[in-house]
Amino acid sequence: MTGTQPLDGVAVHRPPARSRVFLAAAHVVADPTAPQGPGVPAALDWDATLAFRHRLWSLGLGVADAMDTAQRGAGLDWAATRELIERCGAEARSVNGLLACGAGTDQLDPAAQPDLARIAAAYEEQISVVEDAGARVVLMASRALAAAARGPEDYAAVYGRLLPQLARPAILHWLGPAFDPQLAGYWGAADVDAAAESLLAIIREHPGKVDGVKLSLLDAPREIALRRALPAGVRLYTGDDFDYAELIKGDEYGHSDALLGVFDPIAEQAAAALAALDHDDAEGFDAALGPTLPLARHLFAAPTRHYKTGVVFLAFLAGYQDHFTMVGGAQRERSAAHLAGLFELGRDAGIFPDPQRARARMRTALAGCALEGREVL
């Protein structure tokens, strides 16, 4: 697919939300005809990948692209990521869709042990690509920076170089070790509360340069504490795929916005919840998101970093792609029993547009797999 025309039959049809910002971190669709495996350059089915993003925009959701859900650092290399950002930027402009894209440092060779200057330069290269695409920058947590930094002062130096350069305020990304063990101790401290203070100091040092923080610690009380400590006007984008409903709903002191991988498979329910919030309909919000929580908690069960396999499997069952092949061969990273649980919970949450097709695809996927004593279909 080329150019900036939206895909046939897909158009944004919901007005912009008033109450929250919802960004769905979208997965990529691998090209099933190309080699896929560890170390193999990523090959994508561009039509299916872009069609899925148009679906999210059509529901009134924003798209967070080139993020962890798109297999950054887990098969999607920088060359493919750059093309993804450029293509999605053109598609977003064609429908006036909200788009944020991850800028990181994954073009660096970790064996070269890059110093802070090279890490900052790698960020700058990717920031340029994101801004040229017309997208908001998400400054992704960097494995290279986590390995090179000696303490909070090194994070302050790198982010202090980057933030003043940005055309628009960025979303800062704090991804906990449950999602990526190589990011343990991010912001310069193993203690989460000390790390939060380091992050807050950077935000305060650069007023007007941070739109929000995307927090993925799977720790609701700490998210609430950080949310309340943020300067006025800085959003907390929940990345908590376990307790997102209560965090988005909020309390008398505030609420979280959302940048979530779980919004990929539950996009319809997320859009309904957002519409309910816009109409101050708390019961409608609960009815939309409540049934999705058991599915989300199974999808993101340990080892949490393999949730992407489940996201793609659910997209296959739902009919948004015609195969269960993933970049890097990641379709093998969850067990048959885990995938069967996703089918059951997805069915119960009502996420499949065609339940009969989902059931048939589930049978095909489990052909030859023994799930003794379990009725799944």
Side-chain angles (χ1 to χ4, degrees):
M1 179 177 180
T2 59
T4 60
Q5 295 301 310
L7 295 175
D8 291 344
V10 183
V12 173
H13 57 75
R14 296 195 183 184
R18 296 180 290 102
S19 57
R20 307 284 191 279
V21 178
F22 273 18
L23 293 164
H27 75 283
V28 293
V29 183
D31 179 353
T33 68
Q36 302 288 353
V40 178
L44 301 186
D45 177 338
W46 288 110
D47 283 346
T49 293
L50 296 175
F52 192 81
R53 282 140 181 79
H54 275 282
R55 173 176 171 265
L56 297 173
W57 286 318
S58 78
L59 292 169
L61 302 178
V63 172
D65 222 326
M67 302 286 292
D68 187 56
T69 307
Q71 294 182 253
R72 289 293 292 270
L76 192 74
D77 54 82
W78 171 235
T81 300
R82 180 173 188 146
E83 186 172 0
L84 176 66
I85 293 168
E86 291 169 345
R87 285 177 178 258
C88 289
E91 296 304 317
R93 290 192 297 275
S94 76
V95 295
N96 196 31
L98 176 61
L99 178 66
C101 292
T105 63
D106 48 328
Q107 74 270 49
L108 295 172
D109 179 2
Q113 298 181 323
D115 59 17
L116 296 182
R118 290 180 62 198
I119 290 167
Y123 265 126
E124 288 167 344
E125 177 188 359
Q126 296 201 13
I127 288 169
S128 178
V129 172
V130 174
E131 292 194 328
D132 286 349
R136 183 177 294 279
V137 172
V138 181
L139 283 176
M140 297 183 69
S142 164
R143 291 175 177 174
L145 182 53
R150 296 161 297 178
E153 66 280 0
D154 287 342
Y155 289 89
V158 171
Y159 284 87
R161 171 172 159 176
L162 301 175
L163 288 171
Q165 302 180 43
L166 296 172
R168 290 190 295 167
I171 298 172
L172 303 186
H173 185 222
W174 187 357
L175 194 67
F179 288 92
D180 188 343
Q182 295 184 55
L183 296 176
Y186 211 75
W187 305 113
D191 178 77
V192 175
D193 295 329
E197 285 303 318
S198 173
L199 169 61
L200 287 166
I202 291 170
I203 295 171
R204 295 183 189 115
E205 185 68 21
H206 301 280
K209 287 297 183 178
V210 177
D211 168 69
V213 177
K214 189 269 205 244
L215 188 67
S216 297
L217 296 183
L218 302 180
D219 187 331
R222 279 203 165 95
E223 175 170 323
I224 292 169
L226 179 61
R227 186 174 75 199
R228 293 177 181 175
L230 288 171
V234 178
R235 300 177 185 273
L236 193 299
Y237 290 92
T238 187
D240 188 329
D241 299 280
F242 289 168
D243 295 308
Y244 50 91
E246 69 170 90
L247 292 164
I248 292 167
K249 193 172 186 179
D251 55 30
E252 65 271 28
Y253 300 106
H255 61 262
S256 296
D257 293 275
L259 194 168
L260 286 164
V262 75
F263 279 0
D264 179 305
I266 67 163
E268 295 275 359
Q269 290 75 15
L274 183 56
L277 287 173
D278 278 353
H279 291 89
D280 298 317
D281 179 5
E283 290 185 2
F285 174 84
D286 292 340
L289 282 192
T292 70
L293 291 170
L295 170 65
R297 289 164 182 166
H298 183 68
L299 180 64
F300 286 83
T304 300
R305 65 186 181 277
H306 294 325
Y307 78 90
K308 297 173 281 291
T309 300
V311 166
V312 174
F313 186 66
L314 290 169
F316 165 65
L317 294 182
Y320 302 123
Q321 58 192 77
D322 294 330
H323 58 85
F324 180 40
T325 301
M326 293 180 67
V327 171
Q331 68 271 13
R332 295 183 286 269
E333 290 179 344
R334 288 293 202 186
S335 68
H338 179 86
L339 298 179
L342 288 176
F343 165 75
E344 294 170 338
L345 293 166
R347 176 196 60 202
D348 294 346
I351 72 166
F352 300 131
D354 184 342
Q356 295 298 325
R357 176 175 54 195
R359 185 176 296 110
R361 289 188 170 192
M362 187 69 214
R363 288 192 178 114
T364 299
L366 292 180
C369 296
L371 292 174
E372 186 175 345
R374 184 170 184 179
E375 292 290 337
V376 299
L377 300 175

